[in-house]
Amino acid sequence: MSTALISSVRAALSTVDDPEIRRPITELGMVESVEVDEFGAAAVRVLLTVAGCPMKAQLTRDVTAAVSRVDGVTSVDVTLGVMTDAQRGELRQTLRGDAPANEIPFAQPGSRTRVYAVASGKGGVGKSSVTVNLAASLAARGLSVGVLDADIYGFSVPRMLGVTGKPTQVDQMIMPPIAHDVKVISIGMFTPGNTAVVWRGPMLHRALQQFLADVFWGDLDVLLMDLPPGTGDIAISVAQLVPSAELLVVTTPQLAAREVAERAGSIALQTHQQIVGVVENMSWLDLPDGSRMELFGSGGGQAVADSLAASTGTRVPLLGQIPIDQSVREGGDNGAPVVLTAPNSPAAQAMGKVADALAARQRSLVGKSLGLTPVR
Ligand code: ADP
């Protein structure tokens, strides 16, 4: 057996990332053995983190492809095994270091993840649609993005992002499924079928705590949290668990939506959270003759931004106005966000503009108190 060839195969394996953890399998202790016989036939044994790993086919494909490219290798045989508890423990140590269980990485000083809690006053204004499109848009810009569906009662994020897989669990860590390069976790992944979740406040708080602490998010640039509509327990829990989370308020132009959006936003006053801005959704419908039909009225987004700016004493910009567009709804139903499928449509362009505004924000400011005291 040529040791040089084995080193080349190992080097090739270090270019293969685990599809869920997104780190080289060589760093994760997943390569158990590498052998190459005198005819160049390579045999690689890879250890899965858990037996039912949904990614085995992809992993086998990726390993085969990488090793086949090595000069001198004539064939590749990949066999799969499963890590022992001790190996999973080591993997956990590699990934999380000495961070205590239950520690929320985003709440630690020095966390470089921008956390945006997407809030609305009432349901149906497009909060989840905005969340998933912003996530896909930011991921397409090369940022590392996660979405936490905290809309425990009305979870729709997995469908909108086309996530069908279940999270795998590795030694107390939950590996979030990935769709369109976005890591996604939702209470909907833990309930059978479409069972409605009827939980009370303390359980919601616990679920959120677990999603923030036990999910292996990796190094995220941005975490978007889709909050349930209204000013409920979850918004307060978010503020307690991740004080640096900033609110992104979604509203329609309609007066009723506007009033409740202001109330939802004003929670930031009590919790001392920053409001990053307001997104107005369903702003108008472009008609074939080029005119605009303002189905839900006009000016709601700007009015919410102005009112929140006045009540918090901070600058609250209107970050975008998203028109009504059938492709937004279709993209949600098909799990293919419109920003990816029809990037030139006016709705996708408007969402992209909001994503730009979020992407351009200085990381250095995030997580630091700006020392502003809200005006009451
Ligand atoms: P929320 O999260 O606020 O309850 P959703 O994102 O679930 O709202 O949106 C409610 C419905 O409206 C969904 O069917 C969604 O596809 C649709 N929708 C949202 N925004 C738009 C838009 N700009 N144009 C067309 N349909 C939209």
Side-chain angles (χ1 to χ4, degrees):
M1 242 184 346
S2 138
T3 42
L5 197 48
I6 289 189
S7 313
S8 307
V9 171
R10 285 203 175 270
L13 289 170
S14 71
T15 65
V16 178
D17 281 353
D18 175 79
E20 280 180 321
I21 306 174
R22 305 246 159 153
R23 300 252 183 100
I25 54 173
T26 44
E27 281 177 21
L28 301 174
M30 292 172 68
V31 178
E32 189 181 45
S33 63
V34 177
E35 287 168 18
V36 187
D37 71 12
E38 72 257 43
F39 306 108
V44 180
R45 187 161 167 82
V46 175
L47 295 179
L48 301 171
T49 50
V50 286
C53 176
M55 297 293 174
K56 11 183 195 212
Q58 188 182 339
L59 200 54
T60 307
R61 255 194 326 268
D62 293 353
V63 167
T64 308
V67 177
S68 310
R69 283 194 291 270
V70 174
D71 262 351
V73 167
T74 52
S75 67
V76 186
D77 178 36
V78 180
T79 51
L80 300 175
V82 179
M83 285 185 172
T84 60
D85 284 347
Q87 286 167 324
R88 272 192 289 272
E90 275 170 37
L91 172 63
R92 184 189 181 282
Q93 175 73 20
T94 305
L95 295 177
R96 302 215 45 171
D98 293 323
N102 293 338
E103 181 177 279
I104 296 175
F106 316 112
Q108 301 314 304
S111 162
R112 302 193 14 106
T113 306
R114 285 163 283 186
V115 181
Y116 298 119
V118 188
S120 71
K122 64 190 198 97
V125 300
K127 175 180 48 62
S128 303
S129 305
V130 168
T131 306
V132 299
N133 276 287
L134 289 179
S137 209
L138 290 165
R141 282 161 174 71
L143 297 183
S144 166
V145 183
V147 174
L148 191 167
D149 185 3
D151 192 346
I152 303 254
Y153 304 112
F155 45 85
S156 52
V157 166
R159 178 175 40 76
M160 287 185 171
L161 278 169
V163 178
T164 46
K166 295 262 174 218
T168 42
Q169 195 174 339
V170 178
D171 194 57
Q172 313 273 313
M173 275 185 309
I174 301 169
M175 298 295 167
I178 301 175
H180 307 294
D181 266 341
V182 175
K183 292 183 174 166
V184 189
I185 210 81
S186 167
I187 193 78
M189 296 169 180
F190 299 87
T191 57
N194 255 340
T195 323
V197 179
V198 188
W199 283 1
R200 290 189 314 275
M203 287 168 76
L204 294 179
H205 186 87
R206 174 77 198 110
L208 195 59
Q209 151 83 38
Q210 208 180 347
F211 282 172
L212 288 163
D214 297 352
V215 171
F216 178 69
W217 293 103
D219 272 334
L220 290 185
D221 293 307
V222 178
L223 176 69
L224 291 160
M225 303 175 71
D226 188 7
L227 300 192
T231 51
D233 300 329
I234 282 271
I236 311 240
S237 289
V238 168
Q240 284 171 355
L241 294 168
V242 193
S244 61
E246 297 171 87
L247 281 187
L248 180 66
V249 178
V250 179
T251 183
T252 67
Q254 199 177 1
L255 190 62
R258 190 168 121 182
E259 286 167 356
V260 283
E262 278 166 21
R263 276 210 296 281
S266 66
I267 204 156
L269 261 185
Q270 301 157 36
T271 57
H272 302 286
Q273 281 176 301
Q274 303 273 329
I275 302 177
V276 60
V278 175
V279 175
E280 185 187 88
N281 186 32
M282 308 190 183
S283 298
W284 58 76
L285 179 66
D286 283 316
L287 297 178
D289 69 2
S291 63
R292 281 180 176 180
M293 187 171 164
E294 292 175 328
L295 282 171
F296 296 113
S298 66
Q302 189 64 57
V304 172
D306 293 345
S307 143
L308 291 175
S311 57
T312 57
T314 58
R315 200 178 87 82
V316 179
L318 175 63
L319 295 172
Q321 292 178 290
I322 300 155
I324 296 175
D325 188 332
Q326 195 173 330
S327 58
V328 174
R329 201 262 310 146
E330 286 168 354
D333 288 347
N334 301 332
V338 67
V339 290
L340 302 179
T341 54
N344 294 324
S345 65
Q349 294 273 320
M351 306 246 205
K353 225 183 85 191
V354 179
D356 280 337
L358 297 183
R361 298 187 72 236
Q362 292 264 333
R363 271 187 149 201
S364 57
L365 288 179
V366 176
K368 290 189 185 161
S369 164
L370 295 179
L372 300 174
T373 314
V375 177
R376 289 183 194 255

